[in-house]
Amino acid sequence: MSGKTVSSSGCETLVVIVLGALAAACVPQGAVVEKSPQGATPASASSAPPAAPPAGAAATPAPPPPPPPPPPPPILPLDQAVGNAARAVFTNAPVSDAAVTAVVIDPLIDGMTGYASRTTQSIQDQISVIVKKDFPKYAVQRITPESLKQNPRVLIGTFTAVNEQMKTTGEREAYRFCLVLIDLKSGKVIAKSVVRVRIEDADATPTAAFGDSPVWTDDPSVQAYIATCQGSKVGDPIKPEYFEALLAAALVSEADDAYNEGRYAEALDLFTTARKTPAGDQLRVYNGLYLSLTKLGRADQASAAFRDLVDYGLRKKRLAVKFLFRPGSVRFITDSKFSNSYSMWLQQIAAQAVASQACLQVTGHTSPTGPAAMNDSLSLLRAEYVQSRLEGDEPPLKKRTVATGVGSRENLIGTGRDDASDMLDRRVELKPIEPCS
């Protein structure tokens, strides 16, 4: 089934925002806010139904079309946008009966990749300062298994590069910052705000735990987090997939902190514990186990952990691998922190593909830098190079792979910075083809 094609596809993320009525004095400039819904006045029980129109009467005119959606919020400097969003959320959340209400921050993430970055970390620090200064009835705590036992309010947020239509395609012009407060006691979303941030103000470089991760794929636990933030409105119930993964999320957050700070043995213990939870079958856990074992010098165990990563990706029908190429070349970079492991990665991918009797589509991607036609050609050539390496490791794959290139049309980051912040845009993806013929 060997072949070479160039294909294109795209995806859009549609975020539906329901606007609550809000007094002008309570809305920080540039923030789109949702308030807790107020009870509607019920209709009188004695009200008679409307009378039927007499025979021969003219048909009721069609209702007017719905009003156009509101314009997107203005693009603001990072600090101003974050301050507006945080103050709007905490001002409009229902008042708790407790003297002090615990709130934990489930680490903020990129709304496409699920990665934490330098900017999302700085936003969390800024929000903590704002809450301590302006909202003393709240006590910000780290998310841990112990803090979750208090049924606290949980703050989540996504930070996503978007174009002028607020979509994650084409040229990105700003970051959309969605901030949501949920209440574990009531099981509902209780406040929400959306702002836009100047794209030049953000540093999307991933934290060490995410930047070092060799593999990416769609992770249901991360998608549930993103949907809870972007796809919810005030009053909605918490998505059960997000709620059920909170214990694992707390352990992963602690493990990520340990890894970022160089405490690799502790990180390994925490990732191992997270794997044993009901929601432990997730990408962040498998990446963390592999990275921790690699840092501890346990090569054989790390190789087995990478095999688990490959198996997870093939089960999810998408395995994006961070192979770094020389600029304008189809050869791997030889001096990166990843490159010494490339041969092992390829061997494990090839072996797992043969063991699962999978046919693979190998797809190359590039950043948007440079002419589109050149990027299409380069992405195909890089896919063909990876294809040849896989077939060299496992000759039975020679009739079961096809190479394609999509240039920059499926960028996940889309900023075109060509640095560590958008490394994932220069990935090679492997997807099982069904049926395999």
Side-chain angles (χ1 to χ4, degrees):
M1 192 178 130
S2 181
K4 306 175 184 178
T5 62
V6 178
S7 64
S8 66
S9 64
C11 64
E12 297 180 350
T13 300
L14 175 63
V15 181
V16 180
I17 304 172
V18 180
L19 303 180
L22 192 61
C26 298
V27 183
Q29 179 185 5
V32 175
V33 186
E34 293 186 17
K35 295 179 65 176
S36 274
Q38 303 297 321
T41 303
S44 170
S46 61
S47 297
T60 303
I75 299 174
L76 301 174
L78 176 63
D79 289 349
Q80 181 182 355
V82 172
N84 289 356
R87 291 184 177 91
V89 163
F90 283 94
T91 296
N92 291 286
V95 177
S96 170
D97 294 333
V100 178
T101 300
V103 58
V104 301
I105 301 177
D106 192 352
L108 313 183
I109 59 174
D110 179 272
M112 287 291 290
T113 66
Y115 283 5
S117 69
R118 292 175 182 174
T119 291
T120 61
Q121 284 193 323
S122 72
I123 290 173
Q124 290 172 205
D125 294 340
Q126 185 178 348
I127 290 174
S128 296
V129 171
I130 289 171
V131 172
K132 183 176 182 179
K133 178 178 180 292
D134 297 343
F135 301 93
K137 289 200 64 174
Y138 282 94
V140 178
Q141 302 178 8
R142 294 180 53 165
I143 183 170
T144 66
E146 289 72 26
S147 64
L148 290 176
K149 291 178 182 178
Q150 304 174 44
N151 280 331
R153 294 182 172 182
V154 179
L155 192 69
I156 63 175
T158 59
F159 196 75
T160 314
V162 295
N163 62 21
E164 61 181 3
Q165 287 84 36
M166 296 274 277
K167 297 180 180 178
T168 54
T169 57
E171 182 178 356
R172 308 325 199 254
E173 70 159 23
Y175 279 95
R176 179 187 63 219
F177 177 38
C178 166
L179 191 64
V180 164
L181 189 64
I182 61 180
D183 182 27
L184 295 188
K185 290 181 180 178
S186 66
K188 293 183 178 181
V189 174
I190 58 174
K192 179 174 181 176
S193 181
V194 177
V195 295
R196 285 197 299 171
V197 177
R198 292 191 310 205
I199 201 161
E200 63 270 22
D201 288 0
D203 183 353
T205 303
T207 60
F210 290 98
D212 291 352
S213 296
V215 166
W216 181 87
T217 190
D218 297 306
D219 188 321
S221 63
V222 174
Q223 294 304 313
Y225 179 114
I226 293 171
T228 300
C229 186
Q230 297 183 359
S232 67
K233 62 182 182 296
V234 172
D236 282 353
I238 301 171
K239 295 189 179 300
E241 298 86 356
Y242 172 75
F243 185 83
E244 292 162 4
L246 264 175
L247 174 59
L251 290 166
V252 169
S253 177
E254 289 188 297
D256 284 346
D257 288 343
Y259 182 87
N260 293 338
E261 295 165 8
R263 295 179 280 115
Y264 302 122
E266 182 181 347
L268 178 60
D269 288 342
L270 287 163
F271 282 123
T272 301
T273 302
R275 176 65 187 92
K276 296 175 182 177
T277 66
D281 181 33
Q282 56 175 277
L283 180 67
R284 295 178 297 176
V285 172
Y286 291 120
N287 268 324
L289 290 170
Y290 168 74
L291 293 175
S292 301
L293 289 165
T294 299
K295 291 293 188 180
L296 292 169
R298 303 181 190 178
D300 291 342
Q301 291 175 283
S303 180
F306 191 84
R307 183 179 63 240
D308 292 338
L309 267 172
V310 174
D311 176 70
Y312 183 85
L314 293 178
R315 283 191 284 123
K316 299 301 179 184
K317 310 301 183 185
R318 186 179 190 183
L319 179 70
V321 187
K322 294 178 183 175
F323 290 117
L324 298 183
F325 292 85
R326 301 171 190 171
S329 171
V330 297
R331 298 299 178 186
F332 292 142
I333 288 176
T334 57
D335 59 351
S336 78
K337 57 187 174 183
F338 298 111
S339 55
N340 290 337
S341 301
Y342 286 176
S343 292
M344 182 271 286
W345 293 2
L346 289 162
Q347 290 166 4
Q348 289 288 7
I349 292 168
Q352 286 298 96
V354 170
S356 62
Q357 299 183 337
C359 288
L360 293 180
Q361 175 177 295
V362 185
T363 305
H365 297 256
T366 69
S367 72
T369 305
M374 183 179 296
N375 286 336
D376 285 346
S377 177
L378 185 60
S379 64
L380 173 59
L381 290 171
R382 288 175 172 176
E384 289 175 339
Y385 178 68
V386 171
Q387 177 190 34
S388 69
R389 292 287 301 268
L390 293 172
E391 293 174 351
D393 285 330
E394 291 287 349
L397 290 177
K398 288 185 177 180
K399 296 184 180 295
R400 291 162 54 185
T401 62
V402 59
T404 71
V406 297
S408 63
R409 291 186 295 279
E410 297 179 9
N411 280 177
L412 294 169
I413 310 298
T415 55
R417 292 180 176 172
D418 286 332
D419 57 19
S421 69
D422 61 349
M423 184 188 303
L424 203 52
D425 284 346
R426 304 184 296 279
R427 67 197 182 275
V428 175
E429 288 198 14
L430 302 105
K431 295 182 180 181
I433 300 172
E434 296 177 355
C436 181
S437 60

